[in-house]
Amino acid sequence: MPPFKDEHVLIIAPGSQTTLAQLGLPESFTPARLRISTRMFPAEKSGEWEPLKVREKKIKRTSAVGPSSGDHGGDTRMENAPEGEAPEIEEDTVYEEDPTTDEDAVYPLVDGRVVNWSCFFALLTHVYNTLSPPFHTAILVIAQPAWTEQDHETLTQFFFEKFKTPAFCLMDSALAVCYAYGVPSATIVDVGYGKCDITAVNDFLINYLGRGVAVPGCGGEGMTQRLLEHLEPKGFTKDMCEQLKKSNICEILLPNTPLPDEVVTEETVTNPAAAASTGINGSAAGHRGSITTQSVLPRGPGIGTEAGDEDQDRDGRDGEDNDGVLDVASIVASGKTSEFLAKKEREKAEKAAAKKAAADAATAPKPIRLPNSQRIKAILHYDERRSLDDFNSNGKRSNGTEETTNGNEPKRQKTPEPIDGTDPSSVTRKEEKRRNRGTALFVRKDVEVGTERFKAVDNGILDHIADSIHRCVLSVSEIGKRSELWDSLIIIGNGSKVRGFRDALLATLTAKYLISPSSATIFTSELPSNFSTPLATGANTPLPQPHGPMSQSQTPLSLHHGPSGGVNPLLLAATTASNPTLAPPPSIAAQHAQMQLQNFHNLQHSGHGQTPTSIKTIKIPEYFSEWKDVGVEEAAFLGAQVASKVVFIVDGGISKGFMSRSEYNELGPQGIHEFGL
């Protein structure tokens, strides 16, 4: 029987901005059920913390009043109070929680490092009390790469002393990602809020040498600051840039991709039927400029068109009365019968030509909608946070008019068309009421953004991350494993959610470090299969010494050149490849030395470890159906669930995957280094 059940496992994953937690392991692993902000607010007492901002509010009320002894027409007054004196006003203090504000918030984790232990302990206590696990509950905490051994000991002591947990495990976030993807070796790139962590894992062992720990300025906050630098002169705030980064119009283009030129393109016909009948190239308001450029009126019919109104010149028509009935007698009496018939034929021909033109325009191909990367401008829909002071008692904005800005000047927002007879104002009020929480209100606004939305990483963020990945892979001592690490690249983290980030990072790595397989074998492809790759024979090139004893007559140079003395081995191989009989018979000592050198080269130069010949990313297994919609950016939490199932339930502590209460009492907090995955 396993020591713990599935419902008695608590997983906590602290992050710089968001902390994930979950009690119990479901049958099919799901995303975290509890998501809270990694922040706390100072309480009234020094050293204490609150999970939400507590505001003090004064409420005014008047003292109790009652009716007088006589009838005063329904009026009330203060008893025993002189006439004309105002009633006494009292103030009561009420405390309210504001869940939307960040005012006075303290974040205990900065770039993955613990900067305020008191606040961090209060946060962990708040998470534990919110989930309220039973007493016999094992706890697994996902450790940040920036945490030191002393930090691990401090956390171990806190959980055992504070919550009396029977079992505790610390798991590195990079190792948890490998458990989620089901691979023993991988290069994990975790793009967080203000930093990026790069880790090479080889056979479930973390390579600490050369590990990129908390690379500064390469997270999502760095992208937001870069957008703010470009858009702040146009009136954008940091909150607007943050929402722009999370929207689908912000995109990171591939390296050397030109931005769309800000030129006026030719107008395309978006509504052929309207163009055939009215002469307007489109039905939208932005296409009406073509009428002035053509200096012609719309074809009509209608007032102010070429055809004119149907009733405008009806009185002047020949041969028709006021009811539109053809008067044959008047036509014959006027003596203009032939002219009238010719006019009718012309009208029939014009109507037939107009119908044919409309049919041809309707069958014309519609213009293709440009992708976001080729559009010069796009509209950002963002939510502006406002306090209740900006609204009156009726819930309407005090300024009375909703305005949007395009970066330079404000303009009145267009009222949307009613859908299915629904009042648009009621829909807007319902949407605003749904978003409004606490003491703040959020108003939906629109703003126009230009090509600045493509410049979130134009300050070298991708190059910095690519250099860190290259150094991390080169630090792996086993050269033969480096190619496997290049082919097992995993990019996670909420900072990588920006559209096009993964493709742009792969393109940067390919452009800087990838070499083609053909160039890697440019020298060895012309040599015989039984001939090892020779070393350079220059005077300044250091030559490796063969293993084993060497006679006095055998010099290192003769060992490299074999029986031919000072002959270039490339020249010798080229001349003897087609006719092996020309090669002199080698001696036994030369053959033995050649085998030793070949083994030495294979040991020292197995594969191309300096530069990769292929760079690939791997995908998460498809049987985690609950993670398909939310994405794999938080795959470390999925790996923590897999590891908890293995460590606490399947293994049961046989492999020392967790530290028990008795082992803590015996070894103390320092014993946590002997346990873990």
Side-chain angles (χ1 to χ4, degrees):
M1 180 178 179
F4 300 99
K5 297 182 179 180
D6 291 347
E7 58 269 19
H8 293 166
V9 175
L10 175 61
I11 303 174
I12 303 176
S16 298
Q17 292 291 308
T18 306
T19 296
L20 309 179
Q22 180 172 296
L23 177 62
L25 298 177
E27 184 177 355
S28 179
F29 298 140
T30 61
R33 298 175 180 174
L34 178 63
R35 300 173 60 93
I36 62 174
S37 298
T38 310
R39 66 185 183 188
M40 298 295 287
F41 297 88
E44 290 186 350
K45 295 183 180 180
S46 179
E48 295 184 358
W49 303 89
E50 297 287 346
L52 298 175
K53 176 68 177 179
V54 179
R55 297 185 182 275
E56 181 178 335
K57 185 178 181 180
K58 300 290 185 179
I59 298 180
K60 296 181 180 180
R61 65 179 181 88
T62 58
S63 57
V65 295
S68 60
S69 58
D71 186 8
H72 298 280
D75 296 336
T76 58
R77 65 175 185 176
M78 296 284 298
E79 293 184 359
N80 302 327
E83 296 182 0
E85 184 177 350
E88 184 179 357
I89 299 177
E90 299 179 356
E91 290 187 353
D92 291 341
T93 303
V94 178
Y95 296 94
E96 294 182 350
E97 293 182 346
D98 187 358
T100 61
T101 184
D102 285 340
E103 183 182 354
D104 300 332
V106 177
Y107 289 84
L109 294 180
V110 177
D111 293 342
R113 298 179 174 88
V114 182
V115 296
N116 192 323
W117 280 104
S118 175
C119 181
F120 189 45
F121 289 156
L123 174 70
L124 295 176
T125 304
H126 171 62
V127 173
Y128 188 88
N129 295 335
T130 301
L131 296 176
S132 185
F135 180 76
H136 190 72
T137 301
I139 300 177
L140 184 143
V141 177
I142 300 179
Q144 292 288 332
W147 291 357
T148 62
E149 293 184 356
Q150 185 177 0
D151 296 340
H152 293 177
E153 297 173 5
T154 304
L155 285 172
T156 302
Q157 183 178 3
F158 172 76
F159 277 97
F160 275 110
E161 299 293 341
K162 177 71 175 179
F163 306 122
K164 312 297 181 182
T165 177
F168 179 71
C169 176
L170 275 173
M171 185 178 189
D172 194 279
S173 60
L175 192 59
V177 174
C178 291
Y179 272 79
Y181 279 77
V183 292
S185 302
T187 302
I188 293 93
V189 182
D190 189 356
V191 184
Y193 174 71
K195 47 83 178 180
C196 178
D197 297 317
I198 297 100
T199 308
V201 180
N202 184 15
D203 293 335
F204 292 110
L205 296 177
I206 298 175
N207 184 50
Y208 293 98
L209 181 63
R211 186 181 191 183
V213 177
V215 180
C218 295
E221 178 66 13
M223 304 179 199
T224 304
Q225 292 294 336
R226 189 57 180 173
L227 290 174
L228 184 61
E229 293 177 6
H230 290 295
L231 295 172
E232 190 174 13
K234 296 186 177 182
F236 278 66
T237 62
K238 182 180 179 181
D239 183 61
M240 295 172 62
C241 293
E242 181 69 21
Q243 296 187 41
L244 172 62
K245 182 190 68 176
K246 296 179 181 179
S247 66
N248 57 351
I249 66 173
C250 179
E251 185 176 357
I252 299 177
L253 304 180
L254 298 179
N256 302 324
T257 301
L259 297 178
D261 297 331
E262 297 187 3
V263 296
V264 180
T265 57
E266 296 183 359
E267 294 184 359
T268 57
V269 179
T270 57
N271 194 334
S277 60
T278 63
I280 301 177
N281 286 352
S283 58
H287 292 276
R288 292 192 176 272
S290 60
I291 302 302
T292 58
T293 57
Q294 297 175 0
S295 300
V296 294
L297 295 175
R299 297 188 181 92
I303 300 176
T305 60
E306 292 181 356
D309 190 13
E310 294 181 356
D311 299 330
Q312 190 173 7
D313 58 346
R314 175 166 293 180
D315 296 337
R317 295 178 183 176
D318 296 333
E320 294 184 6
D321 56 11
N322 294 334
D323 296 333
V325 179
L326 187 64
D327 191 355
V328 179
S330 61
I331 296 174
V332 174
S334 62
K336 299 179 180 180
T337 307
S338 60
E339 296 178 359
F340 180 78
L341 295 177
K343 182 181 177 181
K344 287 297 183 180
E345 291 296 333
R346 288 196 303 268
E347 291 179 357
K348 290 182 180 180
E350 290 177 357
K351 290 182 180 180
K355 290 182 179 180
K356 183 178 180 182
D360 294 342
T363 57
K366 296 182 179 180
I368 301 176
R369 185 179 180 181
L370 293 177
N372 178 61
S373 59
Q374 298 181 10
R375 281 183 282 173
I376 301 174
K377 295 181 180 180
I379 300 299
L380 169 66
H381 308 283
Y382 74 98
D383 296 331
E384 182 182 12
R385 186 180 187 274
R386 294 185 181 180
S387 62
L388 291 178
D389 298 337
D390 297 336
F391 291 76
N392 56 22
S393 58
N394 295 329
K396 298 181 181 179
R397 287 175 290 275
S398 58
N399 54 11
T401 304
E402 178 64 20
E403 294 181 352
T404 61
T405 174
N406 58 0
N408 295 322
E409 57 182 5
K411 64 180 181 180
R412 188 180 300 274
Q413 185 177 6
K414 182 180 178 181
T415 303
E417 297 293 336
I419 301 176
D420 299 334
T422 307
D423 185 9
S425 60
S426 62
V427 177
T428 305
R429 286 195 298 268
K430 290 180 181 180
E431 182 67 18
E432 290 185 358
K433 189 176 296 183
R434 182 185 64 83
R435 295 194 304 266
N436 296 337
R437 296 291 186 269
T439 61
L441 297 173
F442 293 88
V443 181
R444 175 64 60 89
K445 301 183 71 175
D446 297 339
V447 65
E448 193 175 62
V449 189
T451 56
E452 295 86 1
R453 67 186 190 274
F454 303 125
K455 302 178 180 180
V457 295
D458 62 348
N459 56 348
I461 292 180
L462 294 179
D463 293 333
H464 197 180
I465 296 178
D467 295 340
S468 300
I469 295 174
H470 185 251
R471 288 193 299 268
C472 181
V473 176
L474 287 184
S475 63
V476 177
S477 58
E478 297 184 32
I479 301 178
K481 289 289 185 178
R482 295 178 184 176
S483 59
E484 182 180 355
L485 295 176
W486 282 114
D487 292 336
S488 304
L489 193 65
I490 301 176
I491 303 175
I492 62 168
N494 290 324
S496 63
K497 282 185 176 181
V498 182
R499 184 178 180 182
F501 181 86
R502 289 182 173 86
D503 296 336
L505 181 57
L506 284 177
T508 303
L509 287 170
T510 302
K512 297 187 68 173
Y513 302 112
L514 186 68
I515 61 173
S516 61
S518 59
S519 62
T521 58
I522 187 172
F523 295 106
T524 59
S525 60
E526 302 297 333
L527 297 180
S529 59
N530 60 350
F531 192 81
S532 62
T533 304
L535 294 178
T537 57
N540 296 328
T541 303
L543 300 176
Q545 298 296 331
H547 300 281
M550 182 175 60
S551 61
Q552 296 180 357
S553 60
Q554 292 177 337
T555 62
L557 187 61
S558 64
L559 289 178
H560 280 286
H561 292 174
S564 58
V567 178
N568 192 327
L570 287 176
L571 180 60
L572 178 63
T575 55
T576 59
S578 59
N579 193 358
T581 58
L582 298 178
S587 60
I588 298 178
Q591 291 180 357
H592 179 68
Q594 182 67 24
M595 293 177 58
Q596 288 182 334
L597 283 176
Q598 185 173 356
N599 295 334
F600 178 80
H601 297 329
N602 294 336
L603 180 63
Q604 297 296 327
H605 302 279
S606 57
H608 298 274
Q610 299 296 328
T611 51
T613 56
S614 63
I615 301 177
K616 302 177 183 178
T617 58
I618 56 178
K619 296 182 179 180
I620 199 168
E622 297 182 356
Y623 45 78
F624 296 115
S625 58
E626 289 80 2
W627 289 82
K628 291 182 179 179
D629 298 333
V630 300
V632 297
E633 287 78 13
E634 298 174 353
F637 194 84
L638 172 60
Q641 298 181 64
V642 177
S644 300
K645 185 78 172 182
V646 174
V647 172
F648 294 120
I649 299 175
V650 177
D651 183 73
I654 299 176
S655 302
K656 291 188 175 182
F658 63 86
M659 189 177 189
S660 64
R661 179 72 186 181
S662 59
E663 292 167 338
Y664 172 78
N665 294 335
E666 180 181 357
L667 302 175
Q670 295 80 9
I672 191 62
H673 306 302
E674 301 179 7
F675 300 87
L677 300 175

